[in-house]
Amino acid sequence: MPKVGMKPLRQHQLIEATLLSVERHGLMGTTISTIAQLAGVSTGIINHYFGGKQGLLAATVRFLLQSLHDELMKELRQINPEDSVARLRAIIKANFAQIQTSDKASKTWLAFWSQAMHDPEFSALQQVNERRLLSNLRFSFRRLLPKERVEEAAQTTAALIDGLWLRMALSTHPISVADSGNYCMAYVQGVIRQSQTQANVTHKTLGTRRHD
């Protein structure tokens, strides 16, 4: 009879082995055998818990998504919930956290994004990831920008996060985590300042017209 609590421990062990296998062998080179060898278990254990390689790969991606969510919640607990700029900084920081930028995670994300173009299950997970990021960005920008600027700001910030993360993962001279976060925040602060300047100009213009 299996020990109580063994299932989640074994599943986590297999997910960690999957991340390591993808790092070492790539997605195509990762097999049930390579994962089982790294985890120190029989191949039958993988089939028992996940139904095979595809199920384990999907579980590994869900693990990365949950880790990203947990990291964001941790960052948000440390700020004033009414401070929308701090909230945007927390979103950016979470996306460049160590769990998301390590070699194991980076190579798995890259393999996942490539596979998402052809695999409906991975595509659905990617859409969850995209919707979650954009929803969080829109929520914060709505408190800072006119409604007609919110979508553009959210989409551009999301593209900066993804693009800088990709540069970090692929470049032989990658941008640092700190610089990546700073570049994203520079855009965020710039678009907020621009909006505030335009609002002030409009306010002054209207005031002048009223006095005329």
Side-chain angles (χ1 to χ4, degrees):
M1 186 174 181
K3 296 180 181 178
V4 176
M6 180 59 71
K7 180 177 179 179
L9 290 174
R10 184 69 79 189
Q11 288 176 328
H12 184 73
Q13 178 187 13
L14 290 169
I15 287 170
E16 287 291 337
T18 303
L19 288 166
L20 186 57
S21 180
V22 173
E23 179 188 11
R24 292 182 179 181
H25 308 293
L27 184 62
M28 297 303 295
T30 290
T31 64
I32 289 180
S33 295
T34 64
I35 297 169
Q37 184 177 16
L38 288 167
V41 300
S42 69
T43 56
I45 293 292
I46 295 174
N47 291 320
H48 172 70
Y49 284 119
F50 296 101
K53 174 184 171 180
Q54 182 69 11
L56 179 49
L57 288 172
T60 301
V61 173
R62 285 193 290 269
F63 166 77
L64 290 174
L65 287 170
Q66 185 61 48
S67 298
L68 177 56
H69 175 74
D70 292 345
E71 188 68 28
L72 176 58
M73 292 301 102
K74 184 186 79 173
E75 294 293 337
L76 292 178
R77 284 193 292 270
Q78 300 177 43
I79 65 168
N80 177 354
E82 299 303 315
D83 187 341
S84 295
V85 175
R87 194 173 191 279
L88 285 163
R89 185 177 291 107
I91 294 168
I92 292 168
K93 188 176 180 180
N95 276 273
F96 291 108
Q98 177 63 31
I99 184 62
Q100 304 300 326
T101 58
S102 67
D103 284 345
K104 290 189 297 184
S106 294
K107 291 180 180 179
T108 302
W109 274 119
L110 288 170
F112 160 63
W113 280 344
S114 175
Q115 194 68 13
M117 293 187 288
H118 310 285
D119 186 288
E121 184 175 14
F122 281 10
S123 177
L125 289 171
Q126 169 56 18
Q127 289 174 40
V128 168
N129 183 39
E130 182 179 357
R131 285 197 301 267
R132 185 181 291 171
L133 175 58
L134 286 171
S135 177
N136 282 320
L137 292 169
R138 289 178 187 125
F139 179 83
S140 298
F141 277 123
R142 284 191 191 105
R143 299 181 175 185
L144 298 164
L145 302 175
K147 62 181 180 180
E148 64 272 14
R149 297 293 306 278
V150 168
E151 186 64 22
E152 175 190 345
Q155 292 284 356
T156 303
T157 305
L160 279 170
I161 290 171
D162 288 345
L164 287 166
W165 183 94
L166 196 59
R167 288 286 299 273
M168 288 174 57
L170 293 177
S171 177
T172 54
H173 302 287
I175 303 167
S176 70
V177 170
D179 283 345
S180 296
N182 289 337
Y183 293 156
C184 289
M185 277 307 300
Y187 166 76
V188 167
Q189 291 167 334
V191 77
I192 293 169
R193 281 195 302 270
Q194 182 185 44
S195 179
Q196 291 172 340
T197 299
Q198 290 173 342
N200 289 336
V201 170
T202 301
H203 179 74
K204 290 177 180 179
T205 301
L206 291 174
T208 301
R209 287 176 181 174
R210 281 198 296 269
H211 283 97
D212 291 346

